[in-house]
Amino acid sequence: MSELTLEQAQNLLLARTEKIEETEEILLWEGVGRTLAGDIFAQHDQPPFPRSPLDGYAARSRDIKGASKKRPVALMVIDEVDAGHVGSRKVEEGTAVRIMTGAPIPEGADCVIRQEDTDYGQEQVEIYEEAGPYENYCFAGEDYKAGSKILGKGTRLGAIELGTLASLGSERVRVFRRVRAAVLTTGDELALPGEELKPGKIYDSNLYTLVIRLTALGVEVVRKGRTGDSPEEAAAWIREAVREADMILTTGGVSVGKKDIMHDALKRLVCERIFWKIAIKPGMPTLCAQAEGKLLICLSGNPFGAAANLELLVRPVLAKMTGRKELELTRLPAVAESEFPKRSGVTRYVRAFYEDGRVKIPEGSNASGILSSMCGCNCLMEIPAGTQALKKGDKVWIVLL
Ligand code: AMP
Ligand code: MG
């Protein structure tokens, strides 16, 4: 049995992991979830001109001092400006300009009177309410000023950040490139969903679980594929994949059986083994290497083992490669609401559902070959090595998925 703890295994991988510094320019449309490669500064004031926040009349505050419904002030309406247009007239004593929300406030005016506080006059307007200097007046640059820093390097982009970048006027943004991964499933027994299921075969679920989870974590899966239990084929596939990918993930063939072909496959590559076997369940036979210069993480074919170890081993690596803290594993204390009767010789991870400090194990088996009972789970419950049967009310740690 392996003496390597999960933490030691994680550290061995992290020691061979570097942050990706390469950048690329992409369309804002494709920016969600990406990370800014540099600080962003405004090239112009936002808004670029003083503008009206409402529909009304732009005027000089000193001309309408004391105006009220009883003592309205009459102004001559000399122009009309809609949003998107620029007026041609300057507001001078005794005059006003009809103005719409978002339109530039004309020269000479220092306030806007709401249209509800007027008689809506066309040629001449009666003002029923006074306004102070710069009342209902949006200054140029009140959102941000030209030259000011809008977003910092390392910011994760979502809809609001991308909308803000759009307001700056560029349709592109420079971001760090994504981690590129390749995923290979191995096994003579595997059939692809959509194919007919022949005797002795099972559908390949790992390819879906892994590719989809990696994609959700922001990884670009540059290659996905499947080989049979053939070390030559697996090695050839990996040799091709390392040309594009930063890391290669495989499932199957890492245990000690006759068909555990990954050991043989590794011998066919320029390859340094980092470790084989970790003292955890599931995922005990995990095999990691540096192959052709890239990280090669060979997971057990058991669907729960592959899914759990993708979280436990690969997420910390992704966090370091991307600098994204939220990819690091989150451990939380919780109170067990279920029993787990098996004694654990090594640290065991049990699929579970966490809510409000409590954690529950779903119905169905926790066996590493079983995936369906993990549907709806949001964490792995950690049962330390040497723990006797877990009882309701026991304190445990969980790792959020
Ligand atoms: P292995 O790690 O190759 O010894 O496989 C362990 C178990 O997982 C076996 O029962 C396999 O049939 C099953 N298995 C292997 N690969 C996959 C896969 N891609 N999808 C679903 N089950 C798999
Ligand atoms: Mg196999």
Side-chain angles (χ1 to χ4, degrees):
M1 194 193 292
S2 168
E3 295 305 315
L4 197 65
T5 65
L6 175 63
E7 200 186 346
Q8 287 167 335
Q10 287 165 336
N11 287 336
L12 285 171
L13 294 179
L14 290 174
R16 298 182 187 237
T17 302
E18 273 174 40
K19 170 147 192 319
I20 294 175
E21 296 294 350
E22 287 162 67
T23 66
E24 61 183 347
E25 210 172 65
I26 57 165
L27 287 172
L28 298 185
W29 293 123
E30 288 149 14
V32 76
R34 304 297 296 271
T35 307
L36 266 187
D39 294 341
I40 301 285
F41 296 90
Q43 303 293 322
H44 61 79
D45 283 350
Q46 169 69 0
F49 47 82
R51 67 182 175 191
S52 177
L54 42 82
D55 295 329
Y57 294 82
R60 298 170 4 136
S61 56
R62 69 193 107 136
D63 290 354
I64 55 169
K65 223 167 173 192
S68 69
K69 185 92 198 191
K70 279 203 185 115
R71 292 163 168 274
V73 174
L75 298 173
M76 202 167 42
V77 182
I78 56 166
D79 200 3
E80 180 168 330
V81 212
D82 294 333
H85 300 272
V86 181
S88 55
R89 303 287 300 275
K90 185 174 169 189
V91 174
E92 279 161 349
E93 191 174 351
T95 69
V97 166
R98 183 86 169 99
I99 194 165
M100 303 304 156
T101 306
I105 293 179
E107 220 187 303
D110 69 350
C111 68
V112 176
I113 302 100
R114 299 195 308 157
Q115 62 184 21
E116 295 89 330
D117 297 329
T118 72
D119 70 348
Y120 294 75
Q122 304 265 335
E123 264 130 55
Q124 183 180 298
V125 61
E126 300 224 314
I127 308 289
Y128 300 144
E129 194 76 51
E130 65 173 14
Y134 302 107
E135 208 173 314
N136 300 328
Y137 187 107
C138 298
F139 288 92
E142 75 171 8
D143 186 343
Y144 50 76
K145 295 246 183 311
S148 60
K149 183 169 148 182
I150 306 301
L151 291 169
K153 177 179 174 179
T155 301
R156 187 126 193 269
L157 301 175
I160 303 301
E161 290 73 22
L162 289 160
T164 302
L165 289 172
S167 80
L168 295 165
S170 174
E171 61 173 347
R172 291 172 175 275
V173 61
R174 186 159 284 280
V175 293
F176 289 110
R177 78 156 172 83
R178 289 189 287 173
V179 175
R180 299 184 187 127
V183 180
L184 173 70
T185 54
T186 67
D188 282 351
E189 72 276 40
L190 301 178
L192 275 183
E195 291 174 0
E196 185 198 340
L197 197 64
K198 303 238 169 75
K201 308 283 180 185
I202 58 163
Y203 285 122
D204 180 351
S205 62
N206 288 347
L207 193 63
Y208 283 74
T209 307
L210 265 51
V211 169
I212 291 165
R213 182 60 176 150
L214 288 168
T215 306
L217 293 172
V219 172
E220 183 182 1
V221 177
V222 289
R223 194 178 271 251
K224 56 178 188 281
R226 184 175 43 124
T227 66
D229 284 320
S230 151
E232 296 86 357
E233 265 185 67
W237 196 95
I238 292 166
R239 210 175 291 119
E240 277 296 308
V242 291
R243 289 146 65 132
E244 290 176 85
D246 303 304
M247 63 161 74
I248 293 90
L249 295 167
T250 70
T251 73
V254 289
S255 204
V256 291
K258 222 172 79 197
K259 286 292 178 184
D260 286 323
I261 52 121
M262 290 313 295
H263 306 284
D264 189 356
L266 256 56
K267 290 189 197 131
R268 295 161 194 268
L269 297 162
V270 178
C271 185
E272 187 194 338
R273 195 163 91 179
I274 304 172
F275 64 80
W276 177 35
K277 294 184 179 175
I278 317 174
I280 58 169
K281 265 185 184 173
M284 191 107 86
T286 302
L287 169 66
C288 288
Q290 190 130 25
E292 316 276 332
K294 304 289 173 68
L295 267 191
L296 172 62
I297 299 179
C298 305
L299 305 171
S300 148
N302 281 305
F304 173 54
N309 281 272
L310 177 68
E311 303 293 324
L312 297 172
L313 283 176
V314 181
R315 266 184 77 149
V317 169
L318 296 178
K320 186 164 178 191
M321 285 176 117
T322 59
R324 283 173 51 198
K325 288 258 175 273
E326 74 276 13
L327 289 180
E328 283 169 9
L329 297 175
T330 305
R331 279 163 56 88
L332 297 172
V335 175
E337 284 202 327
S338 315
E339 299 173 346
F340 191 77
K342 267 195 213 157
R343 181 185 176 279
S344 295
V346 297
T347 304
R348 187 195 292 275
Y349 290 89
V350 179
R351 67 200 78 191
F353 181 77
Y354 169 85
E355 194 173 39
D356 295 336
R358 294 186 304 269
V359 61
K360 218 189 248 162
I361 300 171
E363 300 282 313
S365 169
N366 184 58
S368 64
I370 287 175
L371 190 61
S372 64
S373 66
M374 196 180 176
C375 293
C377 286
N378 62 3
C379 75
L380 298 171
M381 182 201 280
E382 190 178 273
I383 304 181
T387 307
Q388 300 301 324
L390 183 84
K391 299 180 301 302
K392 280 185 195 173
D394 282 356
K395 290 205 171 81
V396 291
W397 285 91
I398 61 130
V399 176
L400 285 179
L401 295 176

